[in-house]
């Protein structure tokens, strides 16, 4: 089988070249061709000899997830459905905002956490993405601006691990891909421009602090354990107090005065009362944070509703009055089902659904 070079970091690519009896500087040239120029054809690598190109063609490939479908929203948001082998599909979303281009990247096919408000969770869990499939998403998005790449013109400026899946449950591949995103010789994004969002797996947040100081976002969604147990079932294992303690440890280990972002989905008459807002203010006093309110995005089969703008604004004002920097996330790409929580990777997915559901039940049984 050919070695896929897209998922090898500098060190591993160098090892691969040395194992072929090639000089290490050749690996640095190829690394640049792949990640800075977006080239997937060894023949296009003009500073590489014909002999080495032949050898690479024989032993290696540069393979990103295959684009199955590309859809553009009225608001400029673009969604891709990507095939990652067999019947597994994932989605990624690019959100333009002026000069900023934020890419929302998937980490798993489906998700086993099964939050009650999330379409990805309802789909069940199929498998973890490989490192090459995660960094490959950024590669595809960058190439959509044109090859050879022209970074002075347009580039992905921010990456959020907020697509399908729970990134911490695919720890090595996700953190490996994140460090390539931040590698100056690859995509060169700063640690504040690469964000991992998690439903709150406490031991893995601690483990994360040992390998990265990228930005962390917590999907809290409820101000008390009783409600959070219902919305985010992993809370039964890692309750709010333990979660917030681990976030404080993470922030301290980063050694700067950054604020963590707390995501709070607003679901009509479920977690959006005045009492909930006050409870949230009290709860978060222990943590330097800003709050991002996400109005619930509906999807087929869910009985939850998005609150009225009036209820959303009232909730926001309470938090702001207590001194929290609070924003309401503008819903983007809703017309193409690209908004938060609407990603399911479906083109025509009925055959796999049953199998996924069985896997989900199995995953729940062991968690
Ligand atoms: N699994 C990780 C990252 C992916 S989910 C996590 O849960 O953090 C990314 C974000 O989308 C999370 O904040 C999640 O709570 C939010 N989300 C999920 N379903 C949603 C929905 N239906 N409407 C709005 N936001 C949703
Ligand atoms: Fe998984 Fe995140 Fe969706 Fe929860 S919100 S089911 S953790 S993808």
């Amino acid at each position: 089988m050919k070695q896929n070079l897209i998922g090898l970091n500098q060190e591993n690519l160098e090892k691969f070249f040395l194992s072929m009896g090639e000089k290490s500087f050749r690996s640095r040239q190829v690394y640049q061709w792949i990640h800075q120029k977006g080239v997937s054809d060894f023949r296009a690598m003009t500073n590489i000899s014909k002999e080495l190109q032949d050898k690479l063609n024989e032993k290696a490939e540069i393979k990103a997830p295959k684009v199955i479908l590309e859809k553009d929203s009225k608001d400029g948001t673009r969604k891709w459905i990507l095939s990652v082998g067999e019947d597994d599909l994932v989605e990624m979303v690019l959100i333009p905002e002026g000069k900023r281009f934020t890419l929302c990247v998937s980490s798993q096919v489906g998700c086993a956490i099964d939050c009650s408000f999330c379409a990805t969770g309802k789909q069940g869990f199929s498998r973890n993405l490989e490192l090459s499939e995660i960094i490959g998403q950024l590669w595809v998005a960058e190439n959509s601006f044109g090859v050879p790449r022209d970074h002075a013109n347009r580039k992905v400026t921010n990456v959020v691990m907020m697509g399908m899946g729970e990134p911490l449950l695919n720890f090595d591949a996700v953190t490996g891909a994140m460090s390539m995103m931040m590698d100056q010789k690859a995509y060169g994004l700063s640690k504040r421009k690469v964000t991992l969002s998690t439903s709150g797996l406490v031991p893995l947040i601690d483990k994360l602090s040992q390998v990265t100081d990228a930005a962390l976002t917590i999907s809290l969604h409820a101000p008390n354990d009783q409600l959070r147990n219902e919305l985010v079932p992993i809370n039964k294992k890692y309750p709010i107090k333990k979660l917030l303690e681990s976030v404080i440890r993470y922030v301290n280990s980063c050694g700067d005065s950054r604020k963590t972002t707390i995501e709070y989905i607003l679901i009509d008459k479920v977690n959006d009362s005045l009492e909930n807002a006050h409870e949230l203010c009290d709860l978060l006093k222990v943590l330097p944070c800003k709050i991002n309110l996400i109005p619930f995005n509906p999807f087929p089969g869910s009985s939850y509703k998005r609150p009225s703008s009036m209820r959303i604004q009232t909730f926001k004002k309470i938090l702001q009055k207590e001194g929290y920097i609070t924003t309401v996330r503008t819903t983007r790409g809703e017309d193409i089902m690209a908004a938060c929580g609407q990603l399911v990777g479906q083109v025509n997915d009925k055959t796999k659904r049953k199998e996924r559901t069985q896997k989900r039940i199995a995953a729940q049984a062991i968690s």
Side-chain angles (χ1 to χ4, degrees):
M1 212 170 88
K2 288 186 178 182
Q3 170 72 52
N4 187 3
L5 304 189
I6 206 167
L8 299 186
N9 62 16
Q10 283 196 69
E11 197 188 331
N12 290 336
L13 193 63
E14 182 178 12
K15 278 191 197 146
F16 177 75
F17 272 70
L18 294 176
S19 76
M20 290 195 305
E22 295 293 334
K23 299 247 165 44
S24 65
F25 83 95
R26 291 285 172 215
S27 73
R28 292 195 286 278
Q29 288 173 320
V30 170
Y31 194 71
Q32 198 178 26
W33 278 112
I34 302 174
H35 298 292
Q36 296 201 326
K37 299 191 176 146
V39 165
S40 58
D41 178 0
F42 296 117
R43 292 267 174 253
M45 301 182 178
T46 46
N47 55 359
I48 305 282
S49 70
K50 170 91 174 42
E51 290 71 38
L52 180 52
Q53 287 176 359
D54 288 342
K55 199 160 158 186
L56 285 167
N57 266 328
E58 191 190 311
K59 294 184 186 300
E61 61 185 352
I62 298 162
K63 200 169 139 213
K66 194 166 155 228
V67 177
I68 299 287
L69 202 72
E70 214 176 286
K71 277 192 197 170
D72 286 313
S73 157
K74 296 195 286 276
D75 67 20
T77 302
R78 173 173 285 189
K79 172 167 108 167
W80 286 265
I81 297 183
L82 305 168
S83 159
V84 285
E86 293 189 8
D87 291 333
D88 284 333
L89 301 170
V90 290
E91 302 190 357
M92 80 172 175
V93 180
L94 184 69
I95 307 147
E97 269 178 297
K99 286 200 158 144
R100 200 155 99 170
F101 286 89
T102 302
L103 185 68
C104 180
V105 167
S106 289
S107 57
Q108 299 181 306
V109 186
C111 183
I113 301 286
D114 198 16
C115 299
S116 60
F117 51 80
C118 175
T120 307
K122 292 295 145 215
Q123 174 199 31
F125 174 70
S126 179
R127 71 167 173 89
N128 277 334
L129 291 184
E130 288 169 15
L131 198 164
S132 59
E133 294 164 337
I134 300 171
I135 198 71
Q137 293 174 58
L138 179 52
W139 189 90
V140 169
E142 284 278 21
N143 278 14
S144 73
F145 294 140
V147 183
R149 293 180 184 158
D150 173 12
H151 287 160
N153 184 13
R154 283 191 300 176
K155 78 185 284 286
V156 174
T157 55
N158 300 61
V159 173
V160 290
M161 298 302 306
M162 290 188 192
M164 293 166 61
E166 168 47 60
L168 289 183
L169 286 179
N170 186 10
F171 194 90
D172 292 344
V174 165
T175 53
M178 284 167 64
S179 58
M180 283 172 78
M181 292 167 189
M182 294 186 268
D183 180 354
Q184 284 306 326
K185 297 268 162 44
Y187 299 89
L189 295 172
S190 83
K191 61 184 183 182
R192 284 166 188 264
K193 302 279 166 79
V194 179
T195 302
L196 185 142
S197 173
T198 179
S199 57
L201 295 118
V202 169
L204 294 172
I205 294 175
D206 286 328
K207 190 172 168 194
L208 189 69
S209 66
Q210 287 157 25
V211 298
T212 188
D213 52 4
L216 181 68
T217 286
I218 301 297
S219 292
L220 189 66
H221 308 316
N224 60 60
D225 283 324
Q226 198 188 355
L227 190 50
R228 194 165 193 267
N229 286 347
E230 232 177 80
L231 301 179
V232 186
I234 198 75
N235 193 70
K236 290 179 202 144
K237 201 162 177 184
Y238 304 116
I240 295 178
K241 187 166 178 287
K242 294 257 179 293
L243 172 58
L244 295 184
E245 284 166 3
S246 76
V247 179
I248 293 170
R249 287 195 291 277
Y250 185 86
V251 175
N252 289 341
S253 81
C254 290
D256 57 20
S257 57
R258 77 173 67 169
K259 289 184 158 52
T260 312
T261 302
I262 298 293
E263 307 270 28
Y264 193 101
I265 189 171
L266 283 172
I267 310 172
D268 192 38
K269 306 206 177 65
V270 172
N271 65 351
D272 67 338
S273 69
L274 302 184
E275 197 191 343
N276 293 149
H278 289 296
E279 218 180 337
L280 185 63
C281 291
D282 286 346
L283 180 71
L284 294 177
K285 282 200 176 114
V286 291
L287 181 74
C289 64
K290 45 191 184 192
I291 303 168
N292 192 11
L293 299 173
I294 318 172
F296 171 71
N297 291 315
F299 57 89
S302 173
S303 54
Y304 290 143
K305 292 196 172 52
R306 182 181 297 177
S308 65
S309 337
M310 174 94 125
R311 274 179 89 87
I312 295 171
Q313 288 310 317
T314 310
F315 198 95
K316 177 179 150 189
K317 280 190 190 132
I318 293 172
L319 305 182
Q320 285 179 329
K321 220 169 145 199
E322 289 290 324
Y324 290 100
I325 300 169
T326 310
T327 45
V328 176
R329 187 183 288 171
T330 327
T331 300
R332 302 285 304 262
E334 211 178 1
D335 53 332
I336 53 167
M337 288 293 281
C340 298
Q342 294 183 321
L343 307 183
V344 287
Q346 278 185 14
V347 178
N348 182 5
D349 202 26
K350 291 195 185 81
T351 43
K352 274 246 127 181
R353 197 174 296 152
K354 202 169 150 208
E355 199 181 311
R356 283 198 180 119
T357 306
Q358 279 159 357
K359 281 187 186 165
R360 170 154 59 95
I361 291 162
Q364 273 174 343
I366 52 166
S367 70

